Amino acid sequence: MALSPLLPEHRPLLERYLAPLASPLSAYSFAAHALWRDHFNFYWTIDQDHFLLFAEYDRFLYMPLPPLGAPDPKIVADCFDEMDRRNRSEGISRIENIAEADLPYYQKWGLKVEPKAPEYLYPREALADLKGDRYKSQRWGCNRFEKRYRPIDRPYHPSDRDKARGLFQKWAKLRAARSSDPFYRGLLEDSAPLHARALAESESLGLTGRVVEVSGEIVGYTFGFPLNRETFCVAIEVADPTLPGAASFLFRNFCRALGPYIWINTMDD
């Protein structure tokens, strides 16, 4: 296969193949992959009107999405042939994020299917209102934060980038100090370029962002992207951990600003 690097200008093409699926899974979006370009190389091609997306890491190749198009055993077989040709071990070759409705096709074709970690969908209205005992602590946190700090909540602007990057550095440093687990600290390090891309490339990635200000300083920022007409995915969230209630206020107000959507996807929660 002749694979081409996935670039921001390919976003409309990928979204044209994603739109008919209307999937609520975060992987069915351009931003979910493009944000990780510092850790993965993404490649694509079109084969018999199927959009094929591949991700490469440590010279290994896999598919973060199934072939986008009508189910076709030959296309799937060709994809595995391409992955097996490049990978040193066939066990690495895989297709991720297959829709549950399509599982019978892959099982019928003799492929092994295993579940992934789930993603969580919440009613947007419940997260925006925080009514009832279930959300008592979050509601209390928001009320305390508002009363004490008189925050300003508004859309993200590119001019906020430097202050937001400073907040991320503070947040990551405090988080790392709370844990000696090398895996957890590695995740924090891996997230740094992802946040940098979101802050610098939000428009080209199709991200919607909001910030929270206190006394002219940014104490929280968040980004997400639409998955379909009903579902919005909240992908990134950073709030000053020294300000109690800041995270709850940031998340609640983001959900309030997403009025047209019914569901909020919080990924792995």
Side-chain angles (χ1 to χ4, degrees):
M1 292 181 179
L3 303 181
S4 302
L6 184 70
L7 302 173
E9 53 261 39
H10 300 131
R11 175 184 151 204
L13 177 61
L14 175 56
E15 290 181 345
R16 178 162 64 86
Y17 280 87
L18 290 170
L21 303 175
S23 174
L25 290 177
S26 63
Y28 285 72
S29 65
F30 176 81
H33 308 290
L35 281 169
W36 289 96
R37 296 203 311 273
D38 294 277
H39 298 291
F40 297 85
N41 295 316
F42 292 94
Y43 300 97
W44 68 278
T45 190
I46 303 286
D47 186 2
Q48 300 180 52
D49 201 29
H50 287 74
F51 189 102
L52 311 180
L53 181 65
F54 294 87
E56 180 187 51
Y57 66 104
D58 295 334
R59 298 185 180 180
F60 296 119
L61 198 69
Y62 77 102
M63 297 187 73
L65 283 175
L68 302 178
D72 187 325
K74 184 180 184 308
I75 293 292
V76 171
D78 289 345
C79 290
F80 272 104
D81 286 344
E82 182 69 15
M83 290 186 284
D84 291 344
R85 184 179 68 82
R86 298 183 182 224
N87 294 332
R88 293 193 294 270
S89 170
E90 291 186 0
I92 296 168
S93 303
R94 64 188 185 277
I95 300 175
E96 295 189 350
N97 297 301
I98 295 167
E100 188 173 4
D102 291 338
L103 290 183
Y105 293 112
Y106 290 86
Q107 293 169 329
K108 181 176 64 176
W109 299 333
L111 293 169
K112 182 180 179 181
V113 178
E114 295 182 349
K116 283 189 67 178
E119 293 188 340
Y120 291 80
L121 292 179
Y122 293 92
R124 184 203 60 81
E125 187 175 1
L127 301 180
D129 295 341
L130 297 180
K131 294 180 179 179
D133 290 342
R134 180 180 183 182
Y135 300 107
K136 182 178 180 180
S137 63
Q138 291 90 344
R139 186 170 63 251
W140 179 84
C142 289
N143 292 339
R144 180 186 181 188
F145 181 71
E146 286 184 281
K147 184 176 180 180
R148 184 171 182 179
Y149 298 104
R150 299 185 181 278
I152 296 174
D153 165 67
R154 60 172 176 79
Y156 172 79
H157 188 272
S159 61
D160 298 321
R161 181 172 62 171
D162 289 342
K163 286 185 177 181
R165 291 180 68 176
L167 172 62
F168 174 83
Q169 292 168 358
K170 176 182 180 180
W171 173 84
K173 183 178 180 179
L174 290 173
R175 287 259 180 161
R178 294 178 180 177
S179 174
S180 60
D181 182 0
F183 179 74
Y184 178 76
R185 290 190 169 195
L187 291 177
L188 286 174
E189 293 177 6
D190 287 347
S191 68
L194 181 147
H195 283 253
R197 282 198 179 275
L199 293 170
E201 305 174 19
S202 59
E203 184 174 354
S204 64
L205 293 175
L207 297 175
T208 298
R210 293 191 76 83
V211 300
V212 173
E213 282 185 316
V214 171
S215 300
E217 294 298 320
I218 292 179
V219 300
Y221 67 82
T222 182
F223 289 96
F225 46 84
L227 291 167
N228 54 50
R229 292 182 178 181
E230 295 185 345
T231 311
F232 188 92
C233 178
V234 177
I236 293 176
E237 180 181 284
V238 169
D240 190 331
T242 67
L243 304 181
S248 295
F249 179 85
L250 174 68
F251 185 66
R252 183 200 66 182
N253 281 34
F254 196 23
C255 292
R256 286 181 174 180
L258 299 171
Y261 296 97
I262 299 173
W263 301 100
I264 298 296
N265 180 326
T266 60
M267 302 177 74
D268 61 1
D269 209 34

